[in-house]
Amino acid sequence: MFCKTFHATHPDMMDSVTNDELRSRYLVQGMFRDGEINLNYSHNERFVIGGVVPGAAAIALPAQTEPASAAGRPFLERREMAAVNIGGDGAITVDGQRFAMKNKECLYVPMGSQTVEFEGQGARFYLASLPAHKTLPIKHITLDQANPLARGDLQNSNQRTIYQLVIPGVCDSAQLLLGLTVLDEGSVWNTMPPHLHDRRSEIYLYFELPTEADRVMHYMGEPDEMRHLVIANEEAVISPPWSIHMGSGTKNYAFIWAMGGENLDYTDMNVLDICQLK
């Protein structure tokens, strides 16, 4: 059912790790393949992330295959999910209710949903799912309905707009927080200074890198033991609670951030001074 399972890690496991081992533990690749749905499982908060590229035919969210006792049950039996379209026009149908999905629009799909189908030639859906303890209303969220936060400036190469999509006041959820950040032309830093979430894990999906040659340098690890990953378009990186997360690209880009943990407080973070990093 899952292309890859990512295990939770201790910061000591970063000691002497090779670059390939670092990529294997935290970098999620190959999610967006024509005509496929590809899901990955992370033991950090029991996240599931993946991509759907419907192409000419609709693709359904698969039923559970494990454990054996749950085989055949709906994938969202005990989960909630957000789907963001990062491609052309498409649609998502949930239990017979169809939602037209334009670029950068989000659909929150609640726990207990039975069938979810994706369609649209040129559509590319990013999925982020977490365990849930209650059922909430399904909601289609456009950028106009999101909560926008203007941050940074061109002088510091980090002028950007944070669109909060699945967050209290915009869309209720059990534990998922999700948003989309778009950097202005001339800006490359996605956050500065970096921060830590001791009580939640976060996953970044980088997309809209202008060319195949462009990359994001994603910085991670403990503040005084920093490492980096070189990330291509439409790849994601898992940030454990002990790891900072920030990045700088060769050009401006966009990214989707998804968080899960013990509360829904977006501001619950430990902001670091750049001088603390090494």
Side-chain angles (χ1 to χ4, degrees):
M1 180 176 184
F2 299 115
C3 298
K4 185 172 179 177
T5 296
F6 293 82
H7 293 279
T9 54
H10 190 280
D12 287 353
M13 296 176 71
M14 299 285 282
D15 295 345
S16 303
V17 69
T18 67
N19 195 53
D20 285 342
E21 288 170 334
L22 190 70
R23 293 172 68 85
S24 177
R25 291 174 183 176
Y26 303 105
L27 183 62
V28 189
Q29 300 175 294
M31 288 184 286
F32 299 93
R33 296 174 180 156
D34 291 346
E36 296 182 9
I37 179 169
N38 292 286
L39 303 175
N40 300 273
Y41 187 92
S42 171
H43 282 284
N44 287 284
E45 316 300 343
R46 302 195 180 276
F47 252 113
V48 172
I49 63 167
V52 190
V53 184
I59 298 178
L61 191 67
Q64 297 181 63
T65 59
E66 54 186 59
S69 60
R73 295 180 184 174
F75 181 80
L76 297 177
E77 178 185 33
R78 295 292 300 170
R79 284 184 163 273
E80 60 185 353
M81 183 180 76
V84 182
N85 185 6
I86 64 171
D89 290 357
I92 303 175
T93 301
V94 180
D95 294 341
Q97 189 174 4
R98 187 176 185 273
F99 299 87
M101 301 286 296
K102 295 185 180 299
N103 180 257
K104 295 186 178 67
E105 294 186 351
C106 175
L107 183 68
Y108 172 78
V109 186
M111 181 185 79
S113 299
Q114 299 293 303
T115 61
V116 184
E117 289 192 342
F118 306 88
E119 61 180 283
Q121 190 81 37
R124 303 171 78 81
F125 297 102
Y126 175 64
L127 312 180
S129 173
L130 283 165
H133 60 277
K134 59 182 177 180
T135 298
L136 293 153
I138 193 169
K139 187 165 186 179
H140 177 208
I141 310 131
T142 67
L143 289 189
D144 289 340
Q145 296 169 317
N147 182 36
L149 303 174
R151 294 290 184 268
D153 53 60
L154 285 176
Q155 288 80 4
N156 289 293
S157 303
N158 67 349
Q159 186 165 303
R160 63 201 188 277
T161 303
I162 302 168
Y163 295 96
Q164 296 177 324
L165 297 167
V166 180
I167 196 166
V170 176
C171 174
D172 291 334
S173 67
Q175 72 156 318
L176 179 64
L177 290 174
L178 181 140
L180 187 153
T181 300
V182 179
L183 278 69
D184 289 3
E185 186 174 357
S187 290
V188 294
W189 285 99
N190 58 42
T191 183
M192 181 59 71
H195 54 271
L196 292 165
H197 300 294
D198 191 50
R199 297 195 293 169
R200 62 165 66 107
S201 300
E202 186 163 9
I203 298 177
Y204 279 6
L205 171 78
Y206 291 102
F207 70 106
E208 288 192 349
L209 288 165
T211 73
E212 291 185 4
D214 285 305
R215 293 291 187 271
V216 172
M217 312 302 161
H218 180 91
Y219 300 97
M220 64 169 299
E222 294 181 290
D224 58 353
E225 295 282 350
M226 280 179 53
R227 300 294 298 271
H228 77 278
L229 294 168
V230 180
I231 298 180
N233 192 44
E234 296 184 352
E235 293 181 345
V237 60
I238 298 167
S239 296
W242 47 264
S243 175
I244 67 164
H245 34 284
M246 66 175 183
S248 179
T250 51
K251 292 187 179 70
N252 60 305
Y253 51 91
F255 68 100
I256 295 170
W257 45 269
M259 293 186 281
E262 65 176 73
N263 64 48
L264 292 169
D265 181 2
Y266 176 78
T267 63
D268 184 4
M269 64 183 74
N270 177 20
V271 177
L272 303 170
D273 189 281
I274 191 68
C275 298
Q276 295 175 260
L277 306 179
K278 64 180 183 180

